[in-house]
Amino acid sequence: MEKALYATMRALPGQEETVASLLRTLAGNVRAEPGNIRFVVYRLADDPAFFHVEETYRDQAAFEAHIGMAHGKAFNAAIETLVEGGGSTVVFLEPVA
């Protein structure tokens, strides 16, 4: 069964473009993971400091492999001082239809 989630984060004032750049780099790395199906980064149209990332992985094992990747750990360490609360908020999803 696929593993789906979304993550949100708000850049601190003045850090919006740095966070956007880090997310673009992360997106390229995650999309290259063998178990990744979807990794799309959005920025709210009316709030450019707020980012929304949609992710889908082939299954739980692919997701676990993803969270063990060095590029993800480096991203999470990099945003600690760039986003509110020091990291993203992750919400796991289950399909309905």
Side-chain angles (χ1 to χ4, degrees):
M1 176 189 270
E2 291 180 355
K3 184 78 169 181
L5 63 112
Y6 68 86
T8 60
M9 65 199 81
R10 177 181 298 284
L12 293 172
Q15 300 301 326
E16 298 87 353
E17 294 313 312
T18 301
V19 173
S21 177
L22 289 167
L23 281 165
R24 281 190 287 276
T25 299
L26 179 65
N29 289 326
V30 173
R31 290 175 185 149
E33 294 174 17
N36 179 260
I37 295 171
R38 176 180 167 85
F39 191 93
V40 181
V41 180
Y42 296 97
R43 183 180 235 173
L44 266 61
D46 62 351
D47 185 355
F50 192 86
F51 296 89
H52 176 96
V53 182
E54 296 177 4
E55 305 176 46
T56 305
Y57 299 90
R58 183 183 60 241
D59 53 24
Q60 181 66 31
F63 175 71
E64 289 174 13
H66 162 72
I67 61 175
M69 295 285 181
H71 52 256
K73 292 178 182 181
F75 171 81
N76 288 328
I79 66 168
E80 284 181 0
T81 60
L82 303 175
V83 301
E84 289 180 359
S88 63
T89 299
V90 177
V91 176
F92 292 96
L93 305 168
E94 292 186 6
V96 174

